[in-house]
Amino acid sequence: MQREEKQLEASLDALLSQVADLKNSLGSFIYKLENEYDRLTWPSVLDSFALLSGQLNTLNKVLKHEKTPLFRNQVIIPLVLSPDRDEDLMRQTEGRVPVFSHEVVPDHLRTKPDPEVEEQEKQLTTDAARIGADAAQKQIQSLNKMCSNLLEKISKEERESESGGLRPNKQTFNPADTNALVAAVAFGKGLSNWRPSGSSGPGQPGQPGAGTILAGTSGLQQVQMAGAPSQQQPMLSGVQMAQAGQPGKMPSGIKTNIKSASMHPYQRS
């Protein structure tokens, strides 16, 4: 008998310790929600929920432990009822229960749920009894199917995330092409010495731009020479012959080109 009493006291002490931790966590979380809601972040809320969930799981483990006696088999009988204020009761209940009288005993020592909760439970039982066996079986199968599909999707996402974290990232470039492009830009490796067919002039091999610039310069000098008085008449006579041969067209473009080409861009006034 003494062994059972000691085991009961040890179980109650462990249970009270777990309940006190859970109460403190709930109190701090409620305080955050009421006073720090303006700067409360979602990760902090998740941390509070995770702490409460872990403490509830620990409490369930304590209740389901093999050394924990069945508290439902224990009977609590009030020995003394008094309308006077009890300081010890106030200290143990942290000021929630000042007296242990006939008014509060039915609420604190109740073995049945509240009348409102009991009425709702009866209503749910009545509604469940109205459903036929076939309809209830169909609903059960539909719910099981939905739960199975949801579990499969969750498991698939977990497997994909784990496999994606283990396998290396897929390569999206070719290192050989990258090296060839860098060598071509930096050192000209693999580039051909091709030049346009009409370009002329002294230019080094592999530099077609120089020949093009020189060709453009010589062409400008030729245009300047064409603007001299000794050679202007044959060119104008050629234009007049073209006008005589095609009376319906005005070779204005040729005149404009000749005039603009005859003016040197760096000629002093």
mmCIF file of all heavy atoms in Angstrom, residues 175-223:
data_model
loop_
_atom_site.group_PDB
_atom_site.id
_atom_site.type_symbol
_atom_site.label_atom_id
_atom_site.label_comp_id
_atom_site.label_asym_id
_atom_site.label_seq_id
_atom_site.Cartn_x
_atom_site.Cartn_y
_atom_site.Cartn_z
ATOM 1 N N PRO A 175 31.416 23.608 -70.499
ATOM 2 C CA PRO A 175 32.710 24.256 -70.186
ATOM 3 C C PRO A 175 33.601 24.439 -71.406
ATOM 4 O O PRO A 175 34.328 25.436 -71.492
ATOM 5 C CB PRO A 175 33.344 23.297 -69.175
ATOM 6 C CG PRO A 175 32.200 22.508 -68.607
ATOM 7 C CD PRO A 175 31.207 22.386 -69.712
ATOM 8 N N ALA A 176 33.555 23.508 -72.377
ATOM 9 C CA ALA A 176 34.397 23.639 -73.572
ATOM 10 C C ALA A 176 34.002 24.867 -74.392
ATOM 11 O O ALA A 176 34.855 25.635 -74.851
ATOM 12 C CB ALA A 176 34.291 22.366 -74.420
ATOM 13 N N ASP A 177 32.682 25.066 -74.568
ATOM 14 C CA ASP A 177 32.225 26.246 -75.304
ATOM 15 C C ASP A 177 32.582 27.531 -74.580
ATOM 16 O O ASP A 177 32.962 28.540 -75.205
ATOM 17 C CB ASP A 177 30.718 26.166 -75.516
ATOM 18 C CG ASP A 177 30.331 25.007 -76.429
ATOM 19 O OD1 ASP A 177 31.221 24.482 -77.124
ATOM 20 O OD2 ASP A 177 29.136 24.625 -76.428
ATOM 21 N N THR A 178 32.478 27.525 -73.277
ATOM 22 C CA THR A 178 32.836 28.722 -72.508
ATOM 23 C C THR A 178 34.318 29.054 -72.649
ATOM 24 O O THR A 178 34.692 30.217 -72.856
ATOM 25 C CB THR A 178 32.476 28.509 -71.030
ATOM 26 O OG1 THR A 178 31.088 28.183 -70.913
ATOM 27 C CG2 THR A 178 32.759 29.766 -70.212
ATOM 28 N N ASN A 179 35.172 28.039 -72.559
ATOM 29 C CA ASN A 179 36.607 28.276 -72.711
ATOM 30 C C ASN A 179 36.948 28.762 -74.114
ATOM 31 O O ASN A 179 37.814 29.638 -74.294
ATOM 32 C CB ASN A 179 37.384 26.998 -72.392
ATOM 33 C CG ASN A 179 37.240 26.593 -70.927
ATOM 34 O OD1 ASN A 179 37.033 27.437 -70.064
ATOM 35 N ND2 ASN A 179 37.340 25.294 -70.650
ATOM 36 N N ALA A 180 36.290 28.185 -75.120
ATOM 37 C CA ALA A 180 36.553 28.627 -76.495
ATOM 38 C C ALA A 180 36.121 30.074 -76.703
ATOM 39 O O ALA A 180 36.805 30.856 -77.375
ATOM 40 C CB ALA A 180 35.818 27.705 -77.474
ATOM 41 N N LEU A 181 34.992 30.468 -76.104
ATOM 42 C CA LEU A 181 34.517 31.843 -76.250
ATOM 43 C C LEU A 181 35.455 32.819 -75.548
ATOM 44 O O LEU A 181 35.782 33.887 -76.087
ATOM 45 C CB LEU A 181 33.105 31.952 -75.669
ATOM 46 C CG LEU A 181 32.437 33.329 -75.749
ATOM 47 C CD1 LEU A 181 32.301 33.767 -77.192
ATOM 48 C CD2 LEU A 181 31.067 33.287 -75.076
ATOM 49 N N VAL A 182 35.931 32.460 -74.361
ATOM 50 C CA VAL A 182 36.869 33.334 -73.645
ATOM 51 C C VAL A 182 38.186 33.461 -74.420
ATOM 52 O O VAL A 182 38.759 34.551 -74.536
ATOM 53 C CB VAL A 182 37.109 32.780 -72.223
ATOM 54 C CG1 VAL A 182 38.240 33.546 -71.536
ATOM 55 C CG2 VAL A 182 35.840 32.875 -71.398
ATOM 56 N N ALA A 183 38.695 32.347 -74.987
ATOM 57 C CA ALA A 183 39.933 32.403 -75.757
ATOM 58 C C ALA A 183 39.775 33.243 -77.019
ATOM 59 O O ALA A 183 40.684 33.983 -77.413
ATOM 60 C CB ALA A 183 40.382 30.984 -76.112
ATOM 61 N N ALA A 184 38.598 33.170 -77.647
ATOM 62 C CA ALA A 184 38.378 33.957 -78.865
ATOM 63 C C ALA A 184 38.298 35.441 -78.548
ATOM 64 O O ALA A 184 38.828 36.284 -79.283
ATOM 65 C CB ALA A 184 37.097 33.488 -79.551
ATOM 66 N N VAL A 185 37.648 35.808 -77.444
ATOM 67 C CA VAL A 185 37.516 37.226 -77.102
ATOM 68 C C VAL A 185 38.832 37.797 -76.597
ATOM 69 O O VAL A 185 39.226 38.918 -76.938
ATOM 70 C CB VAL A 185 36.395 37.396 -76.052
ATOM 71 C CG1 VAL A 185 36.348 38.833 -75.541
ATOM 72 C CG2 VAL A 185 35.048 37.017 -76.642
ATOM 73 N N ALA A 186 39.542 37.042 -75.766
ATOM 74 C CA ALA A 186 40.757 37.571 -75.136
ATOM 75 C C ALA A 186 41.984 37.497 -76.043
ATOM 76 O O ALA A 186 42.781 38.440 -76.094
ATOM 77 C CB ALA A 186 41.025 36.812 -73.828
ATOM 78 N N PHE A 187 42.145 36.395 -76.778
ATOM 79 C CA PHE A 187 43.364 36.176 -77.556
ATOM 80 C C PHE A 187 43.115 36.050 -79.053
ATOM 81 O O PHE A 187 44.054 35.880 -79.820
ATOM 82 C CB PHE A 187 44.091 34.913 -77.062
ATOM 83 C CG PHE A 187 44.313 34.908 -75.577
ATOM 84 C CD1 PHE A 187 43.554 34.096 -74.760
ATOM 85 C CD2 PHE A 187 45.261 35.743 -75.006
ATOM 86 C CE1 PHE A 187 43.756 34.084 -73.395
ATOM 87 C CE2 PHE A 187 45.473 35.741 -73.632
ATOM 88 C CZ PHE A 187 44.711 34.919 -72.814
ATOM 89 N N GLY A 188 41.866 36.074 -79.495
ATOM 90 C CA GLY A 188 41.582 35.934 -80.918
ATOM 91 C C GLY A 188 41.792 34.534 -81.445
ATOM 92 O O GLY A 188 41.982 34.344 -82.652
ATOM 93 N N LYS A 189 41.751 33.559 -80.562
ATOM 94 C CA LYS A 189 41.994 32.189 -80.990
ATOM 95 C C LYS A 189 40.808 31.676 -81.796
ATOM 96 O O LYS A 189 39.656 31.808 -81.388
ATOM 97 C CB LYS A 189 42.226 31.298 -79.760
ATOM 98 C CG LYS A 189 42.555 29.867 -80.101
ATOM 99 C CD LYS A 189 42.799 29.063 -78.833
ATOM 100 C CE LYS A 189 43.122 27.613 -79.160
ATOM 101 N NZ LYS A 189 43.364 26.808 -77.944
ATOM 102 N N GLY A 190 41.126 31.080 -82.983
ATOM 103 C CA GLY A 190 40.080 30.507 -83.815
ATOM 104 C C GLY A 190 39.402 31.483 -84.745
ATOM 105 O O GLY A 190 38.515 31.088 -85.517
ATOM 106 N N LEU A 191 39.792 32.777 -84.721
ATOM 107 C CA LEU A 191 39.187 33.763 -85.617
ATOM 108 C C LEU A 191 39.929 33.762 -86.952
ATOM 109 O O LEU A 191 41.154 33.676 -87.003
ATOM 110 C CB LEU A 191 39.244 35.151 -84.988
ATOM 111 C CG LEU A 191 38.487 35.322 -83.656
ATOM 112 C CD1 LEU A 191 38.641 36.750 -83.150
ATOM 113 C CD2 LEU A 191 37.015 34.976 -83.836
ATOM 114 N N SER A 192 39.219 33.894 -88.077
ATOM 115 C CA SER A 192 39.821 33.883 -89.414
ATOM 116 C C SER A 192 40.239 35.297 -89.816
ATOM 117 O O SER A 192 39.727 36.289 -89.286
ATOM 118 C CB SER A 192 38.831 33.313 -90.431
ATOM 119 O OG SER A 192 37.674 34.131 -90.492
ATOM 120 N N ASN A 193 41.175 35.397 -90.804
ATOM 121 C CA ASN A 193 41.665 36.684 -91.306
ATOM 122 C C ASN A 193 40.881 37.110 -92.532
ATOM 123 O O ASN A 193 41.428 37.608 -93.514
ATOM 124 C CB ASN A 193 43.155 36.587 -91.649
ATOM 125 C CG ASN A 193 43.990 36.309 -90.420
ATOM 126 O OD1 ASN A 193 43.626 36.731 -89.332
ATOM 127 N ND2 ASN A 193 45.096 35.594 -90.607
ATOM 128 N N TRP A 194 39.602 36.936 -92.533
ATOM 129 C CA TRP A 194 38.774 37.255 -93.706
ATOM 130 C C TRP A 194 38.558 38.755 -93.792
ATOM 131 O O TRP A 194 38.322 39.430 -92.776
ATOM 132 C CB TRP A 194 37.452 36.535 -93.586
ATOM 133 C CG TRP A 194 36.489 36.854 -94.712
ATOM 134 C CD1 TRP A 194 36.448 36.304 -95.939
ATOM 135 C CD2 TRP A 194 35.440 37.821 -94.678
ATOM 136 N NE1 TRP A 194 35.456 36.846 -96.701
ATOM 137 C CE2 TRP A 194 34.806 37.805 -95.923
ATOM 138 C CE3 TRP A 194 35.001 38.716 -93.720
ATOM 139 C CZ2 TRP A 194 33.739 38.625 -96.231
ATOM 140 C CZ3 TRP A 194 33.938 39.538 -94.032
ATOM 141 C CH2 TRP A 194 33.315 39.492 -95.283
ATOM 142 N N ARG A 195 38.662 39.317 -95.046
ATOM 143 C CA ARG A 195 38.409 40.732 -95.296
ATOM 144 C C ARG A 195 37.397 40.867 -96.418
ATOM 145 O O ARG A 195 37.287 39.995 -97.269
ATOM 146 C CB ARG A 195 39.711 41.449 -95.699
ATOM 147 C CG ARG A 195 40.710 41.564 -94.561
ATOM 148 C CD ARG A 195 41.870 42.449 -94.960
ATOM 149 N NE ARG A 195 42.570 41.919 -96.142
ATOM 150 C CZ ARG A 195 43.528 42.556 -96.787
ATOM 151 N NH1 ARG A 195 43.911 43.749 -96.376
ATOM 152 N NH2 ARG A 195 44.107 42.011 -97.845
ATOM 153 N N PRO A 196 36.672 41.968 -96.455
ATOM 154 C CA PRO A 196 35.708 42.158 -97.562
ATOM 155 C C PRO A 196 36.419 42.187 -98.902
ATOM 156 O O PRO A 196 37.572 42.597 -99.002
ATOM 157 C CB PRO A 196 35.047 43.507 -97.236
ATOM 158 C CG PRO A 196 35.264 43.699 -95.771
ATOM 159 C CD PRO A 196 36.562 43.033 -95.448
ATOM 160 N N SER A 197 35.699 41.744 -99.939
ATOM 161 C CA SER A 197 36.320 41.616 -101.272
ATOM 162 C C SER A 197 36.659 42.957 -101.891
ATOM 163 O O SER A 197 37.595 43.072 -102.660
ATOM 164 C CB SER A 197 35.374 40.842 -102.212
ATOM 165 O OG SER A 197 34.127 41.527 -102.295
ATOM 166 N N GLY A 198 35.932 44.011 -101.581
ATOM 167 C CA GLY A 198 36.177 45.317 -102.217
ATOM 168 C C GLY A 198 37.176 46.170 -101.490
ATOM 169 O O GLY A 198 37.479 47.272 -101.936
ATOM 170 N N SER A 199 37.669 45.753 -100.344
ATOM 171 C CA SER A 199 38.601 46.588 -99.568
ATOM 172 C C SER A 199 39.986 46.504 -100.180
ATOM 173 O O SER A 199 40.396 45.485 -100.712
ATOM 174 C CB SER A 199 38.634 46.131 -98.110
ATOM 175 O OG SER A 199 39.109 44.805 -98.032
ATOM 176 N N SER A 200 40.741 47.593 -100.117
ATOM 177 C CA SER A 200 42.100 47.647 -100.649
ATOM 178 C C SER A 200 42.894 48.616 -99.814
ATOM 179 O O SER A 200 42.341 49.407 -99.051
ATOM 180 C CB SER A 200 42.100 48.089 -102.126
ATOM 181 O OG SER A 200 41.552 49.396 -102.226
ATOM 182 N N GLY A 201 44.160 48.615 -100.004
ATOM 183 C CA GLY A 201 45.019 49.529 -99.270
ATOM 184 C C GLY A 201 45.956 48.745 -98.388
ATOM 185 O O GLY A 201 45.758 47.572 -98.114
ATOM 186 N N PRO A 202 46.988 49.394 -97.918
ATOM 187 C CA PRO A 202 47.980 48.692 -97.085
ATOM 188 C C PRO A 202 47.396 48.376 -95.729
ATOM 189 O O PRO A 202 47.021 49.276 -94.976
ATOM 190 C CB PRO A 202 49.139 49.706 -96.981
ATOM 191 C CG PRO A 202 48.493 51.044 -97.170
ATOM 192 C CD PRO A 202 47.354 50.834 -98.104
ATOM 193 N N GLY A 203 47.310 47.165 -95.424
ATOM 194 C CA GLY A 203 46.796 46.713 -94.129
ATOM 195 C C GLY A 203 47.511 45.466 -93.704
ATOM 196 O O GLY A 203 47.917 44.651 -94.516
ATOM 197 N N GLN A 204 47.667 45.319 -92.419
ATOM 198 C CA GLN A 204 48.327 44.144 -91.903
ATOM 199 C C GLN A 204 47.391 42.951 -91.949
ATOM 200 O O GLN A 204 46.177 43.116 -91.894
ATOM 201 C CB GLN A 204 48.779 44.397 -90.459
ATOM 202 C CG GLN A 204 49.794 45.535 -90.338
ATOM 203 C CD GLN A 204 50.166 45.768 -88.903
ATOM 204 O OE1 GLN A 204 49.656 45.081 -88.031
ATOM 205 N NE2 GLN A 204 51.063 46.720 -88.672
ATOM 206 N N PRO A 205 47.922 41.758 -92.039
ATOM 207 C CA PRO A 205 47.048 40.571 -92.043
ATOM 208 C C PRO A 205 46.333 40.457 -90.702
ATOM 209 O O PRO A 205 46.921 40.644 -89.638
ATOM 210 C CB PRO A 205 48.045 39.407 -92.242
ATOM 211 C CG PRO A 205 49.259 40.033 -92.823
ATOM 212 C CD PRO A 205 49.328 41.404 -92.292
ATOM 213 N N GLY A 206 45.055 40.161 -90.787
ATOM 214 C CA GLY A 206 44.248 40.024 -89.581
ATOM 215 C C GLY A 206 43.639 41.329 -89.138
ATOM 216 O O GLY A 206 42.956 41.364 -88.114
ATOM 217 N N GLN A 207 43.904 42.463 -89.852
ATOM 218 C CA GLN A 207 43.306 43.739 -89.508
ATOM 219 C C GLN A 207 42.608 44.312 -90.734
ATOM 220 O O GLN A 207 43.118 45.178 -91.427
ATOM 221 C CB GLN A 207 44.385 44.724 -89.019
ATOM 222 C CG GLN A 207 45.068 44.279 -87.722
ATOM 223 C CD GLN A 207 46.082 45.296 -87.268
ATOM 224 O OE1 GLN A 207 46.333 46.277 -87.984
ATOM 225 N NE2 GLN A 207 46.688 45.069 -86.110
ATOM 226 N N PRO A 208 41.423 43.826 -91.052
ATOM 227 C CA PRO A 208 40.737 44.321 -92.254
ATOM 228 C C PRO A 208 40.229 45.736 -92.076
ATOM 229 O O PRO A 208 39.985 46.443 -93.023
ATOM 230 C CB PRO A 208 39.580 43.337 -92.423
ATOM 231 C CG PRO A 208 39.349 42.782 -91.049
ATOM 232 C CD PRO A 208 40.682 42.741 -90.395
ATOM 233 N N GLY A 209 40.091 46.218 -90.856
ATOM 234 C CA GLY A 209 39.549 47.555 -90.655
ATOM 235 C C GLY A 209 40.492 48.634 -91.150
ATOM 236 O O GLY A 209 40.075 49.695 -91.581
ATOM 237 N N ALA A 210 41.803 48.390 -91.061
ATOM 238 C CA ALA A 210 42.760 49.408 -91.494
ATOM 239 C C ALA A 210 42.668 49.658 -92.986
ATOM 240 O O ALA A 210 42.693 50.785 -93.458
ATOM 241 C CB ALA A 210 44.185 48.981 -91.109
ATOM 242 N N GLY A 211 42.571 48.586 -93.773
ATOM 243 C CA GLY A 211 42.442 48.735 -95.217
ATOM 244 C C GLY A 211 41.167 49.475 -95.595
ATOM 245 O O GLY A 211 41.136 50.274 -96.523
ATOM 246 N N THR A 212 40.119 49.212 -94.861
ATOM 247 C CA THR A 212 38.850 49.886 -95.157
ATOM 248 C C THR A 212 38.959 51.368 -94.886
ATOM 249 O O THR A 212 38.456 52.202 -95.643
ATOM 250 C CB THR A 212 37.734 49.268 -94.300
ATOM 251 O OG1 THR A 212 37.716 47.871 -94.510
ATOM 252 C CG2 THR A 212 36.399 49.865 -94.654
ATOM 253 N N ILE A 213 39.638 51.741 -93.784
ATOM 254 C CA ILE A 213 39.792 53.157 -93.474
ATOM 255 C C ILE A 213 40.638 53.849 -94.531
ATOM 256 O O ILE A 213 40.323 54.944 -94.993
ATOM 257 C CB ILE A 213 40.426 53.313 -92.080
ATOM 258 C CG1 ILE A 213 39.466 52.782 -91.021
ATOM 259 C CG2 ILE A 213 40.772 54.772 -91.794
ATOM 260 C CD1 ILE A 213 40.060 52.740 -89.632
ATOM 261 N N LEU A 214 41.725 53.197 -94.961
ATOM 262 C CA LEU A 214 42.568 53.797 -95.992
ATOM 263 C C LEU A 214 41.828 53.923 -97.300
ATOM 264 O O LEU A 214 41.982 54.903 -98.028
ATOM 265 C CB LEU A 214 43.847 52.957 -96.165
ATOM 266 C CG LEU A 214 44.804 52.953 -94.948
ATOM 267 C CD1 LEU A 214 45.972 52.005 -95.205
ATOM 268 C CD2 LEU A 214 45.309 54.368 -94.677
ATOM 269 N N ALA A 215 41.021 52.922 -97.626
ATOM 270 C CA ALA A 215 40.253 53.008 -98.869
ATOM 271 C C ALA A 215 39.276 54.165 -98.812
ATOM 272 O O ALA A 215 39.070 54.883 -99.780
ATOM 273 C CB ALA A 215 39.523 51.693 -99.120
ATOM 274 N N GLY A 216 38.665 54.370 -97.660
ATOM 275 C CA GLY A 216 37.744 55.499 -97.545
ATOM 276 C C GLY A 216 38.461 56.826 -97.656
ATOM 277 O O GLY A 216 37.951 57.787 -98.225
ATOM 278 N N THR A 217 39.689 56.917 -97.159
ATOM 279 C CA THR A 217 40.450 58.161 -97.238
ATOM 280 C C THR A 217 40.838 58.483 -98.674
ATOM 281 O O THR A 217 40.728 59.611 -99.141
ATOM 282 C CB THR A 217 41.701 58.058 -96.374
ATOM 283 O OG1 THR A 217 41.306 57.714 -95.047
ATOM 284 C CG2 THR A 217 42.443 59.384 -96.323
ATOM 285 N N SER A 218 41.298 57.466 -99.405
ATOM 286 C CA SER A 218 41.666 57.703 -100.810
ATOM 287 C C SER A 218 40.457 58.075 -101.639
ATOM 288 O O SER A 218 40.540 58.891 -102.547
ATOM 289 C CB SER A 218 42.343 56.448 -101.373
ATOM 290 O OG SER A 218 41.424 55.360 -101.306
ATOM 291 N N GLY A 219 39.321 57.490 -101.325
ATOM 292 C CA GLY A 219 38.096 57.847 -102.051
ATOM 293 C C GLY A 219 37.724 59.287 -101.817
ATOM 294 O O GLY A 219 37.230 59.989 -102.700
ATOM 295 N N LEU A 220 37.949 59.775 -100.558
ATOM 296 C CA LEU A 220 37.660 61.174 -100.263
ATOM 297 C C LEU A 220 38.571 62.097 -101.047
ATOM 298 O O LEU A 220 38.142 63.125 -101.571
ATOM 299 C CB LEU A 220 37.826 61.411 -98.754
ATOM 300 C CG LEU A 220 37.532 62.828 -98.244
ATOM 301 C CD1 LEU A 220 36.093 63.207 -98.538
ATOM 302 C CD2 LEU A 220 37.826 62.914 -96.753
ATOM 303 N N GLN A 221 39.855 61.697 -101.198
ATOM 304 C CA GLN A 221 40.770 62.508 -101.988
ATOM 305 C C GLN A 221 40.381 62.529 -103.462
ATOM 306 O O GLN A 221 40.460 63.532 -104.125
ATOM 307 C CB GLN A 221 42.210 61.970 -101.836
ATOM 308 C CG GLN A 221 42.752 62.126 -100.416
ATOM 309 C CD GLN A 221 44.101 61.470 -100.250
ATOM 310 O OE1 GLN A 221 44.605 60.866 -101.205
ATOM 311 N NE2 GLN A 221 44.695 61.599 -99.066
ATOM 312 N N GLN A 222 39.908 61.413 -103.961
ATOM 313 C CA GLN A 222 39.463 61.369 -105.350
ATOM 314 C C GLN A 222 38.262 62.273 -105.571
ATOM 315 O O GLN A 222 38.130 62.936 -106.584
ATOM 316 C CB GLN A 222 39.130 59.941 -105.747
ATOM 317 C CG GLN A 222 40.366 59.036 -105.820
ATOM 318 C CD GLN A 222 39.988 57.617 -106.129
ATOM 319 O OE1 GLN A 222 38.826 57.346 -106.343
ATOM 320 N NE2 GLN A 222 40.970 56.722 -106.151
ATOM 321 N N VAL A 223 37.377 62.335 -104.587
ATOM 322 C CA VAL A 223 36.206 63.223 -104.730
ATOM 323 C C VAL A 223 36.644 64.664 -104.739
ATOM 324 O O VAL A 223 36.119 65.499 -105.439
ATOM 325 C CB VAL A 223 35.207 62.943 -103.607
ATOM 326 C CG1 VAL A 223 34.110 63.991 -103.578
ATOM 327 C CG2 VAL A 223 34.613 61.565 -103.791
#
